[in-house]
Amino acid sequence: MADKILKELTLKVWRQKDAKSKGAFETYKIHDISTGTSFLEMLDILNEQLVSENKEPVAFDHDCREGICGTCSLFIDGRAHGPDDDVTTCQLHMRRFQDGATITIEPWRCGAFPVIKDLIVDRQAYDKILQAGGYVSVNTGGVPDGNAIPISNDNAEEAMDAAACIGCGACAATCKNSSAMLFVAAKVSQLALLPQGKVEAARRAKAMVAKMDELGFGNCTNTGACEMECPKSISIQHIARLNREFLKAKLKD
């Protein structure tokens, strides 16, 4: 399908000088955007336009632009990463919008992710949760020969599915409670399903949940919004495993 040209778009963009300043939406017009343009490329074009007008460009986060790093965290028209399924913002293309459309662009709305500037939020809270226990620190030996450690195919596949989490924050930003349970559950699952991760399983579950609570994330009420908006389709079944791991750790105590 040949790309079309969107002759005019109206962008309502959240502008905020810094974490302490009060933010507000500002409206911009942008013209002649190809439907083959990615959403972040469209923001690049907007910034070129603003710079040419001697105006402050819009600050937004990005890195790989390949749907891997998770930094392009934007709320677009009321949805995390925009009006498409199973994509990050950098994978969203302008063909998803109609000519003449008004597009509202906001940063994540989550207390644990404070706004740094404009559309950039501080997602260090996820890093702190990982530092609390999302790793293997014991000596599990050298690299074994292939198939030396028996792991069922189902467990291996499920662990890989959990490991696909890129920590973008869409789950917490989408949840009405700002819960980070899907993120924490994915990081616990990817290790709990494998022999190397079982040694520290109890400590890991308790430490990561405690850090999540300490950082101000809300409680999970199983609405499923996190799974629906996750760009990597992480299943809320991992939350059930996290709850089991946490309960087992408490029973051991």
Side-chain angles (χ1 to χ4, degrees):
M1 183 184 295
D3 293 336
K4 298 179 181 179
I5 298 297
L6 304 176
K7 294 182 179 180
E8 181 177 278
L9 295 169
T10 301
L11 306 179
K12 294 180 64 177
V13 183
W14 183 260
R15 303 303 305 267
Q16 186 170 334
K17 184 178 180 180
D18 52 46
K20 296 180 180 179
S21 301
K22 185 177 180 180
F25 284 104
E26 291 188 10
T27 301
Y28 306 103
K29 298 284 187 180
I30 192 166
H31 301 88
D32 301 327
I33 301 297
S34 168
T35 54
T37 303
S38 77
F39 198 86
L40 295 190
E41 288 171 336
M42 182 275 294
L43 290 179
D44 289 336
I45 294 170
L46 169 64
N47 278 345
E48 289 177 1
Q49 176 180 308
L50 292 175
V51 170
S52 70
E53 297 169 355
N54 293 318
K55 296 179 180 178
E56 180 76 16
V58 177
F60 63 95
D61 225 344
H62 62 91
D63 190 3
C64 72
R65 299 203 178 197
E66 296 179 350
I68 299 171
C69 67
T71 59
C72 57
S73 42
L74 296 180
F75 238 77
I76 303 165
D77 285 345
R79 286 191 64 182
H81 298 301
D84 207 345
D85 298 324
D86 304 328
V87 298
T88 53
T89 303
C90 62
Q91 295 173 308
L92 177 69
H93 285 76
M94 298 309 295
R95 65 178 64 94
R96 299 293 299 179
F97 302 93
Q98 298 295 320
D99 193 11
T102 297
I103 306 172
T104 302
I105 310 168
E106 306 171 72
W108 285 162
R109 300 298 190 182
C110 176
F113 298 149
V115 174
I116 297 175
K117 183 177 181 180
D118 293 342
L119 303 175
I120 301 176
V121 299
D122 185 347
R123 293 184 299 118
Q124 288 187 77
Y126 271 9
D127 295 331
K128 292 176 181 177
I129 292 173
L130 286 178
Q131 290 164 7
Y135 52 83
V136 174
S137 63
V138 297
N139 185 355
T140 59
V143 179
D145 294 334
N147 299 321
I149 300 176
I151 302 173
S152 72
N153 181 69
D154 289 344
N155 281 357
E157 290 293 329
E158 198 168 354
M160 286 298 293
D161 288 344
C165 171
I166 57 176
C168 66
C171 50
T174 298
C175 176
K176 66 178 183 178
N177 306 318
S178 296
S179 172
M181 280 289 280
L182 189 64
F183 168 76
V184 177
K187 298 307 178 183
V188 166
S189 270
Q190 72 183 61
L191 295 174
L193 287 160
L194 303 177
Q196 293 88 341
K198 293 187 182 300
V199 180
E200 300 172 288
R203 181 197 61 80
R204 178 181 303 113
K206 290 189 296 182
M208 294 181 73
V209 169
K211 181 59 70 173
M212 174 181 66
D213 292 341
E214 175 192 322
L215 293 169
F217 289 101
N219 295 321
C220 174
T221 50
N222 287 313
T223 62
C226 54
E227 178 182 28
M228 181 172 291
E229 297 296 356
C230 175
K232 299 302 177 182
S233 302
I234 306 295
S235 172
I236 57 174
Q237 290 182 9
H238 294 295
I239 295 178
R241 176 172 291 103
L242 171 59
N243 288 333
R244 291 194 297 271
E245 291 291 321
F246 185 78
L247 182 58
K248 284 192 295 184
K250 287 297 185 180
L251 288 174
K252 285 183 179 179
D253 290 345

